[in-house]
Amino acid sequence: MPEAVIFDYGVGNLLSLKCALEKVGLNAKIGVSAQQLKKADAIALPGVGSFSAAITKLDAVKETLLAAVESGTPLIGICLGLQLFFPESEEGPGKGLALFEGKNVRLRGEVKVPHMGWNTLRIVKQNALFEGVADESYVYFVHSLYPVPTDKAIVASETEYGATFTSAIASKNVFGTQFHPEKSGDIGLHILENFAKIVKR
Amino acid sequence: MPLAKRIVPCLDVTCGTVVKGINFLNLKKAGDPVELAKRYSDEGADELVFLDITASSDNRDILRGVVEGVARAISIPFTVGGGIRNVSDARLVLCSGADKVSVNTAAVENPQVITELADVFGQQCVVVAIDAKRRHEKAESKITVETREGPVWFEVYTYGGRKPTGIDAVTWALRAVELGAGEFLVTSMDKDGTKDGYDIELTRTISEKVNVPVIASGGAGVPEHFVEVFTDGKADAALAASVFHYNQYPVPVIKEFLRKQGVIVRP
């Protein structure tokens, strides 16, 4: 069974993601070491914690992580995990992984923050992660910031909440969701199953 | 489509068993929280709340087992509350697979705990539960609301509704947001158990004043009550226990009714 390493920033619920990845046929391990990341068949950056704290934890393994992604290891970033793909965030100081250009900004306008609950995906780019996922599917969100990628070609889906924001990205072996697939019922599991298929290719 | 309104079944757990009104058919073990969670999740519940009503320290390991079992069984979010007093209590349930913790008495007695939890786990993990009761006598410096019964203010109670605090619920909610509350679970003690409908004024007043989501609780009896609390009450989510437990109005029936009334819910 391919091994997926969930990077542990040191706070919050990682068990749900671990269980979900196991359900879709990945041997999910929670880890922090460069060695674990190096031999992983897939890497997941989970969605709990804050930008600055996560960056501090990630710093020690940043080079290894970037090298693994460069060599083709599938990477999925969830919520904060997706936001870490970008160099900066309005949430706090620190430099993200800078896999893509852009930045993370706060939700503003006449809406309640955090954006918490089930909202729909408008799929703007078909990709392996969304295979068999219907447009306007409901997924679970809980976040106060969202990424604004400079290169719109990586945007896989958008969602409406106060403004239209990027709710998923896909680019080669790198995938990111602003929503939580591990908390999004059957649709979420289907998306993670697609990720597992990508890993097994 | 805008954000869907959430339907949130609540399970009261003590010593690893769901205790309040269980009348499900075809369950092997009536009262097994994992089985009930799975059932609600399969039926289309948007989120679940577990309240550990014993909340004693010897119960901690049992609770951890329940939370972990639920996390493995379902893939929708769930909140755990009851007896959470500090960061280490919260860490225990969050690391066992819960997504949010709710704090009630501990937050009233030591508001700083809200900030501590938000700093460590993020604001979105911190649900502040408020149990409130209508007070009809005039009181200065309380936020008063016009209702059919005349002007009222809402008093916060702690210790599972046993201890009146003299604190005004709306003022408390505003303070809690400043401290880092990410969501409110607002229970009307007047309405709880009546099946008479939610306290619309209580829900609406808090929901309009705070810029975070509000879960309404207490009083759900028929599908119309859900419509009312989402429209007039401006709730973001509606919690109920007995209507679901007794299978009187299963989640899909409530959702279908809401949809027909033009309320946006997840299919």
Side-chain angles (χ1 to χ4, degrees):
Chain A
M1 208 190 283
E3 190 175 295
V5 171
I6 301 166
F7 187 82
D8 184 4
Y9 321 121
V11 291
N13 170 19
L14 299 181
L15 186 71
S16 299
L17 180 58
K18 184 172 187 287
C19 293
L21 291 176
E22 283 166 357
K23 274 184 202 155
V24 299
L26 295 174
N27 178 15
K29 295 263 163 67
I30 290 167
V32 286
S33 75
Q35 210 163 0
Q36 279 170 303
L37 293 179
K38 211 178 278 180
K39 67 176 181 75
D41 300 303
I43 299 169
L45 295 180
V48 285
S50 72
F51 189 84
S52 304
I55 284 300
T56 311
K57 287 268 183 182
L58 262 179
D59 240 13
V61 297
K62 195 168 167 177
E63 295 313 314
T64 313
L65 178 66
L66 292 175
V69 172
E70 185 63 42
S71 74
T73 305
L75 170 69
I76 188 166
I78 293 167
C79 195
L80 169 67
L82 160 64
Q83 294 171 12
L84 294 172
F85 291 176
F86 298 89
E88 57 181 296
S89 175
E90 287 180 4
E91 189 183 13
K95 189 163 189 298
L97 294 170
L99 283 163
F100 306 104
E101 279 180 49
K103 61 176 178 179
N104 300 290
V105 301
R106 285 191 184 279
L107 283 163
R108 288 191 182 85
E110 298 288 298
V111 287
K112 292 189 174 188
V113 179
H115 174 212
M116 190 184 283
W118 299 79
N119 207 333
T120 51
L121 296 176
R122 192 165 63 232
I123 298 174
V124 295
K125 182 178 82 169
Q126 246 328 319
N127 67 92
L129 198 64
F130 284 165
E131 221 174 271
V133 176
D135 203 25
E136 300 290 316
S137 288
Y138 272 97
V139 290
Y140 188 81
F141 289 88
V142 48
H143 63 118
S144 304
L145 294 105
Y146 61 93
V148 183
T150 308
D151 177 9
K152 300 298 172 214
I154 67 170
V155 177
S157 71
E158 292 177 334
T159 295
E160 212 72 54
Y161 188 68
T164 302
F165 69 90
T166 298
S167 50
I169 66 121
S171 171
K172 294 188 230 167
N173 54 325
V174 179
F175 302 90
T177 63
Q178 186 52 65
F179 56 92
H180 286 260
E182 79 282 16
K183 287 288 159 191
S184 296
D186 291 341
I187 288 285
L189 283 179
H190 183 86
I191 289 169
L192 291 175
E193 210 163 13
N194 285 342
F195 181 68
K197 276 188 202 156
I198 297 163
V199 176
K200 287 169 187 167
R201 256 182 220 157
Chain B
M1 295 281 264
L3 187 63
K5 298 291 188 183
R6 286 172 281 154
I7 299 293
V8 187
C10 174
L11 299 108
D12 286 346
V13 180
T14 181
C15 300
T17 307
V18 177
V19 286
K20 194 155 131 193
I22 307 306
N23 194 19
F24 274 130
L25 302 170
N26 309 322
L27 281 183
K28 276 179 246 107
K29 278 196 287 175
D32 176 25
V34 176
E35 232 170 304
L36 286 170
K38 179 89 175 69
R39 162 109 178 214
Y40 284 137
S41 163
D42 290 346
E43 284 184 346
D46 297 306
E47 209 167 313
L48 298 177
V49 169
F50 288 85
L51 290 180
D52 178 20
I53 57 172
T54 28
S56 71
S57 51
D58 6 321
N59 200 28
R60 285 285 162 233
D61 285 344
I62 305 171
L63 180 67
R64 180 168 30 192
V66 170
V67 172
E68 207 176 305
V70 171
R72 287 184 189 283
I74 65 170
S75 47
I76 58 168
F78 68 101
T79 302
V80 174
I84 290 169
R85 304 201 69 87
N86 50 44
V87 167
S88 78
D89 290 343
R91 192 186 304 274
L92 184 84
V93 293
L94 293 171
C95 291
S96 304
D99 300 286
K100 307 180 222 176
V101 291
S102 84
V103 284
N104 190 334
T105 304
V108 175
E109 291 183 347
N110 171 27
Q112 211 47 45
V113 75
I114 299 172
T115 310
E116 288 164 20
L117 292 170
D119 283 348
V120 177
F121 304 108
Q123 184 202 9
Q124 80 291 339
C125 274
V126 187
V127 182
V128 171
I130 301 177
D131 293 340
K133 203 171 188 166
R134 290 183 173 211
R135 302 302 302 245
H136 298 272
E137 67 275 14
K138 276 214 174 86
E140 272 188 40
S141 76
K142 310 283 192 223
I143 296 181
T144 306
V145 179
E146 273 310 320
T147 70
R148 267 183 303 179
E149 308 167 343
V152 301
W153 62 280
F154 301 97
E155 183 175 14
V156 174
Y157 277 64
T158 51
Y159 293 95
R162 289 190 295 274
K163 190 182 169 196
T165 62
I167 298 168
D168 161 29
V170 183
T171 309
W172 167 228
L174 287 167
R175 169 129 191 258
V177 169
E178 303 239 311
L179 291 167
E183 190 170 34
F184 287 97
L185 168 52
V186 180
T187 301
S188 161
M189 292 173 55
D190 303 291
K191 294 290 197 166
D192 201 29
T194 61
K195 299 206 163 204
D196 198 17
Y198 293 92
D199 188 327
I200 299 300
E201 285 88 0
L202 170 66
T203 310
R204 182 175 53 221
T205 307
I206 294 184
S207 190
E208 282 179 343
K209 296 250 184 203
V210 299
N211 189 35
V212 300
V214 170
I215 308 172
S217 156
V222 293
E224 285 82 355
H225 294 154
F226 289 84
V227 175
E228 198 185 18
V229 81
F230 286 136
T231 52
D232 298 346
K234 310 239 166 113
D236 300 284
L239 177 145
S242 42
V243 287
F244 300 130
H245 291 337
Y246 290 107
N247 228 0
Q248 215 172 358
Y249 295 102
V251 176
V253 173
I254 304 271
K255 283 198 164 180
E256 186 51 36
F257 189 85
L258 285 164
R259 202 172 294 122
K260 282 192 180 139
Q261 300 292 313
V263 177
I264 291 169
V265 288
R266 177 177 71 111

